[in-house]
Amino acid sequence: MPDKDPDNCSGLDEPARSYCEGDTGGSGGVGGGGGGGDVTDGAVTSVKELANSLIKHIKEQLAPGKTWAPEKADSGLYEPFLWLGQHLAVAIFICVVVVCALTAWQGAPRLRQMGASTGWALVAVAGMASIPGAVTLLNKAVSTAFQTAFGTDESTLFGVIEHDLKHGADAGNPLGILIIIAALAVALAFSALVFMTRQLGILAFVCMAPLVLASLTRGGDTSAVRAWAGRLLGLMFAPFALLLVAPFVQFAKGSLVVDAVLLVAADALMLRMIFHGVPYIGPRVAGAARALVESRTDHPLARAVVRAGAPTVYERENLPRGPRTVDTPGRAASQDGGVLLGAYGLKPRQQPGRLTTMSAVAQTGHDAARRAQIIQARREAQAAVSPSASNPRATGARTPTPSTNGPVPPPAPASGPGTAPALRPSGPTRPNNP
C-alpha cells in the first residue's frame, strides 16, 4: 500500500491528523495492529493520567493550602467579631477594676486580682488580632507537611498507587486499573465531604476567637480557651489520620487491587475523621454519608466500610444513657457555651440529658431482645434459689449465733420460752489454772 499523502490529512484536527499521517501498515497484515496498539496505549495513558489527577485533587481537598478563614485582622468577616471581643474585654476589665476598688479594704487579694486582670486583658486584646495570621500559617504548614508526606515518599498510600500504575504487576490489566479508578472516585467524594466540614469548622472557630479570648480578662480563666484551641487544632490536624494506613502499604506494592482495598480503608478513616475531628455536626455529617451509601447500595462490603467509619450511635440531647452516645449539635454547643459563661463568671445552667425521640425508639428496638433475655435469666435464678430459702422459725429450730467469747450455748427446747442464758457481767478476765 503506498504511503499516505500528508496533504490529504491537512484538513483534519488533532489527534485525527496524527493518526492519518501515521503508517498503520494496512489492514489484515502483520502490521495491522500498529494503529490499534497506539489507540490502546493512548487509552491506558489517559486512564493513568485520570488516576493521577484524582489523587492530586484528593490531596488538595484533604489539606488545602488556603482556608476560608480570614488571613488578616482587618478582614470584613473577622472585623466585627474583633470589635466585639475588644469592647467586651475592656468592659470586663472595667468591671473588675470597679469591684476591686469598692472592696479595696480586703487588701492584697484584691490588688492581685486587679493586676492579674490587667495583664490578661492585654494578652487577650493582643491575641485577638494575631489569631487569623496564626491559623493561616499553621494551615499552610499542615498542608505542606501533608503534601510532602503523601507526595514524595513512595511508602505512603498515594505514592504506592502512583508507582503501581506505572510499574505494578497488573498495571496493564484493565480490570485492576478500573478498580483503582473506582476506589479513587469514591475517595474523592469523601475527601470533598471532609473539605467542606473542615473549612466551615475552622471558619467558625476563628471567628469565635475574640469572644473566647475576652474571657481571659476576668482573671486568667483558661478553661474556655483550652476547649476552643483543642477543637481548632483537632480540625486542622485531622488529615494526618490517613497516616494510619501507611504501615500497610508495603503489603500492597505491585498490586492495584490491594491498593484499592487500602484506599477503601482510608475512606473509612476519613469518615472517622469527620466523626471525631469536627465537633457538633461531625457525627451527623458522617451519619448522613452512611445513610446515603446504605440507601444506594446493598453490597455488604460497602455497608461494612461506612459502618466502620460512622458507627451506630444514640444522640443525647442534654445524663449519659449508656455507651456510644453523642450529643446533638444544640447540646454540644450549649455545653461549650456553658464553659464560656463559666469563664466570664456566670454560672451555667446544668441541663439534664436524655436521648432524642428517634434514638430512644431505636434503642428500645435494639435492646428488646437483650432486655427479654435478662428478665428470663433473673426469673430462672430466682426460681433456682427460692426452694432452698426456707424460714428457720417454721420448723421450730433456732439458728445458732456465732460467739467470739466462748462456745455456742445449746439451743432451747422447742416448747420452752426460747430465752437465751444470762450473760455474766463484764469484768476482767481471769485465766483458768490447769
Side-chain angles (χ1 to χ4, degrees):
M1 180 177 179
D3 295 338
K4 295 181 180 178
D5 188 1
D7 295 337
N8 296 334
C9 304
S10 59
L12 299 176
D13 296 331
E14 294 292 343
R17 181 175 179 178
S18 300
Y19 180 75
C20 178
E21 291 177 351
D23 184 12
T24 60
S27 59
V30 177
D38 293 338
V39 173
T40 304
D41 294 340
V44 172
T45 303
S46 299
V47 170
K48 292 180 179 179
E49 291 177 354
L50 174 61
N52 293 328
S53 176
L54 289 174
I55 292 175
K56 178 182 177 182
H57 284 85
I58 291 173
K59 293 178 182 178
E60 291 177 351
Q61 288 183 350
L62 290 179
K66 295 183 179 180
T67 60
W68 295 347
E71 296 183 1
K72 298 180 180 179
D74 56 358
S75 171
L77 182 65
Y78 187 76
E79 192 172 0
F81 295 91
L82 178 62
W83 180 90
L84 180 60
Q86 289 175 343
H87 285 71
L88 189 59
V90 172
I92 295 174
F93 173 69
I94 292 174
C95 292
V96 172
V97 171
V98 170
V99 171
C100 291
L102 293 177
T103 58
W105 56 270
Q106 294 183 358
R110 287 303 183 184
L111 292 178
R112 283 197 298 267
Q113 182 182 1
M114 187 167 60
S117 179
T118 302
W120 282 111
L122 295 176
V123 170
V125 174
M128 290 177 192
S130 62
I131 289 298
V135 170
T136 301
L137 292 176
L138 183 59
N139 180 76
K140 290 181 179 179
V142 170
S143 176
T144 303
F146 183 87
Q147 297 287 346
T148 302
F150 281 87
T152 59
D153 191 1
E154 291 186 357
S155 63
T156 57
L157 178 60
F158 296 127
V160 168
I161 293 176
E162 292 176 348
H163 178 271
D164 291 344
L165 283 172
K166 298 178 181 178
H167 310 290
D170 50 0
N173 186 359
L175 180 59
I177 296 177
L178 181 62
I179 291 176
I180 196 65
I181 290 294
L184 286 172
V186 174
L188 181 64
F190 283 116
S191 65
L193 190 61
V194 173
F195 172 79
M196 292 295 295
T197 50
R198 286 186 70 245
Q199 292 289 323
L200 292 175
I202 292 174
L203 175 62
F205 280 102
V206 170
C207 291
M208 281 176 54
L211 302 179
V212 176
L213 291 175
S215 64
L216 292 174
T217 58
R218 180 174 160 261
D221 189 351
T222 59
S223 57
V225 178
R226 283 187 280 108
W228 165 81
R231 285 166 170 78
L232 181 59
L233 292 176
L235 282 174
M236 301 194 72
F237 286 94
F240 289 99
L242 291 183
L243 289 175
L244 297 175
V245 186
F248 303 98
V249 298
Q250 294 298 328
F251 300 103
K253 266 195 172 181
S255 175
L256 291 176
V257 177
V258 182
D259 291 338
V261 173
L262 289 178
L263 195 56
V264 171
D267 294 337
L269 278 178
M270 281 195 251
L271 275 179
R272 281 285 184 171
M273 177 171 38
I274 296 176
F275 194 88
H276 293 287
V278 183
Y280 309 147
I281 62 172
R284 284 201 172 179
V285 172
R290 170 182 168 176
L292 180 63
V293 173
E294 289 182 341
S295 64
R296 298 291 181 179
T297 180
D298 295 333
H299 198 279
L301 179 60
R303 288 174 173 260
V305 169
V306 294
R307 287 172 183 171
T312 301
V313 296
Y314 299 123
E315 283 187 328
R316 182 175 54 207
E317 282 182 329
N318 259 329
L319 303 167
R321 189 65 186 273
R324 301 184 67 83
T325 56
V326 295
D327 295 328
T328 59
R331 175 174 168 82
S334 175
Q335 290 192 343
D336 271 2
V339 175
L340 185 58
L341 291 177
Y344 284 127
L346 303 176
K347 185 178 180 181
R349 184 181 64 179
Q350 297 293 336
Q351 298 181 356
R354 64 174 185 180
L355 295 180
T356 58
T357 303
M358 297 302 296
S359 295
V361 171
Q363 188 192 42
T364 302
H366 181 269
D367 294 344
R370 177 176 177 270
R371 191 177 295 110
Q373 292 178 0
I374 293 175
I375 294 175
Q376 181 65 24
R378 287 176 178 173
R379 289 176 180 174
E380 293 176 356
Q382 291 175 359
V385 174
S386 57
S388 60
S390 58
N391 189 3
R393 293 186 180 272
T395 60
R398 246 185 105 75
T399 304
T401 303
S403 175
T404 57
N405 297 327
V408 179
S415 58
T419 58
L423 299 176
R424 293 194 222 173
S426 59
T429 304
R430 290 178 295 181
N432 297 326
N433 295 326

